[in-house]
Amino acid sequence: MIPQETMSSDEIYEELCNKIEKLVYLPGDKISENELCRQYGVSRHIIRTVISRLKERMLLTVYPQRGTFVSLIDMKSVELILFIRESVEQEAIRLLQFEKQEVRDRMSEAMKACIERQRTAISENIDMDAFYEFHGCLLEAVGKKDVMEIIREDYIHFRRWRNFYVVRSGRQREIIEEHTALMHALVKNETKEAHEILHMHLSTENRLRHIREKVSPEYFIYH
């Protein structure tokens, strides 16, 4: 980690984005300019610049006379991003059926490695990033690895929700089972089955309801 006294405005911004995404700062947490100045050893001007950027990205909300708070997660935005994501991945499944078996085999090896990291993450209670790498293997297999970069600025809101959902819903093992079933269907070129598995895996209705009713409803905005 870069020593805090040498961190630039950009570096502080990226670190705070990461902390908000990883739920170090929860939605609704109050952010103190003075505390951030002490923490990073920088001037109030630098911290205000960072806060302004975080506000523009809708990660912080300022309430007059109350202060600055980590923004609640907008579930409408999450739902739209999930819609885009499924549309992209369903098209990737369609394209994969025209690839050679060796392409599917390479993808399978990458997916197996992701699934093994997922099991390790559960058993050792470590970072859940391994759960988020799996779908990239499919996009890479059809030459579309960076397609989601198009909505990179907005995708952090989805990742915040995803961190809540994966960690707090207790569905990690179920997710591994779904990933495994999808992998097998893709490798066997069972396109119709793969489409159905992916749709069930990414279906938003039950997941959104679970978060709203049972997990942490106070952290979210619903329209």
Side-chain angles (χ1 to χ4, degrees), residues 27-50:
D29 280 355
K30 188 171 185 178
I31 299 297
S32 167
E33 286 187 11
N34 291 335
E35 178 59 33
L36 291 177
C37 288
R38 288 193 294 269
Q39 180 180 345
Y40 291 105
V42 296
S43 68
R44 185 180 295 272
H45 172 73
I46 290 177
I47 292 301
R48 286 181 174 172
T49 298
V50 170

Side-chain angles (χ1 to χ4, degrees), residues 12-37:
I12 295 171
Y13 168 76
E14 291 298 333
E15 181 166 299
L16 289 177
C17 282
N18 185 62
K19 287 182 175 180
I20 292 172
E21 175 186 334
K22 296 296 180 61
L23 308 180
V24 175
Y25 293 124
L26 290 170
D29 280 355
K30 188 171 185 178
I31 299 297
S32 167
E33 286 187 11
N34 291 335
E35 178 59 33
L36 291 177
C37 288

Side-chain angles (χ1 to χ4, degrees), residues 8 12-13 26 30 41 58 63 66 73 80 89 117 130 143-144 155 157 159 162 183 191 193 195 197 202 209 212 215:
S8 68
I12 295 171
Y13 168 76
L26 290 170
K30 188 171 185 178
M58 294 186 291
Y63 296 100
R66 291 177 55 196
I73 299 173
L80 290 173
E89 293 189 26
R117 288 194 293 273
K144 307 296 182 182
Y155 209 64
H157 302 290
R159 294 195 300 269
R162 183 177 59 186
M183 176 185 68
T191 303
E193 182 178 355
H195 280 306
I197 292 171
L202 296 181
R209 184 184 301 114
R212 180 172 63 248
V215 180

Side-chain angles (χ1 to χ4, degrees), residues 9-212:
S9 172
D10 287 343
E11 290 162 344
I12 295 171
Y13 168 76
E14 291 298 333
E15 181 166 299
L16 289 177
C17 282
N18 185 62
K19 287 182 175 180
I20 292 172
E21 175 186 334
K22 296 296 180 61
L23 308 180
V24 175
Y25 293 124
L26 290 170
D29 280 355
K30 188 171 185 178
I31 299 297
S32 167
E33 286 187 11
N34 291 335
E35 178 59 33
L36 291 177
C37 288
R38 288 193 294 269
Q39 180 180 345
Y40 291 105
V42 296
S43 68
R44 185 180 295 272
H45 172 73
I46 290 177
I47 292 301
R48 286 181 174 172
T49 298
V50 170
I51 287 176
S52 179
R53 293 177 65 186
L54 292 169
K55 284 170 53 184
E56 290 176 3
R57 203 171 177 185
M58 294 186 291
L59 294 174
L60 293 181
T61 302
V62 176
Y63 296 100
Q65 312 304 318
R66 291 177 55 196
T68 300
F69 297 82
V70 178
S71 298
L72 301 182
I73 299 173
D74 188 330
M75 293 307 297
K76 182 63 174 178
S77 296
V78 170
E79 189 173 8
L80 290 173
I81 291 171
L82 279 168
F83 178 81
I84 293 171
R85 177 181 167 183
E86 180 175 359
S87 300
V88 167
E89 293 189 26
Q90 293 287 14
E91 174 63 8
I93 289 175
R94 189 190 69 81
L95 293 174
L96 185 67
Q97 67 183 314
F98 304 113
E99 296 287 348
K100 296 179 180 179
Q101 184 63 41
E102 62 189 55
V103 172
R104 290 194 291 275
D105 289 341
R106 286 197 301 269
M107 179 196 67
S108 174
E109 290 304 310
M111 286 181 168
K112 287 177 182 177
C114 285
I115 290 172
E116 186 57 36
R117 288 194 293 273
Q118 291 167 12
R119 292 194 177 102
T120 300
I122 293 175
S123 63
E124 299 182 8
N125 194 29
I126 59 177
D127 199 299
M128 294 288 110
D129 282 351
F131 281 84
Y132 315 144
E133 301 167 357
F134 177 87
H135 293 264
C137 300
L138 168 60
L139 297 177
E140 185 171 11
V142 296
K144 307 296 182 182
K145 180 181 178 180
D146 297 325
V147 67
M148 297 307 291
E149 284 294 304
I150 294 173
I151 57 170
R152 183 177 63 86
E153 286 295 307
D154 295 323
Y155 209 64
I156 190 171
H157 302 290
F158 167 76
R159 294 195 300 269
R160 292 173 72 202
W161 170 79
R162 183 177 59 186
N163 285 331
F164 263 104
Y165 180 65
V166 171
V167 176
R168 299 195 179 201
S169 69
R171 281 194 73 247
Q172 291 96 322
R173 296 189 187 282
E174 186 178 344
I175 290 171
I176 289 177
E177 292 176 0
E178 293 170 1
H179 282 171
T180 302
L182 178 59
M183 176 185 68
H184 289 325
L186 292 171
V187 172
K188 295 177 183 178
N189 210 16
E190 295 173 344
T191 303
K192 181 179 179 181
E193 182 178 355
H195 280 306
E196 293 172 353
I197 292 171
L198 180 68
H199 177 67
M200 292 301 297
H201 179 61
L202 296 181
S203 175
T204 63
E205 184 177 354
N206 291 334
R207 288 157 175 73
L208 298 182
R209 184 184 301 114
H210 181 86
I211 285 287
R212 180 172 63 248

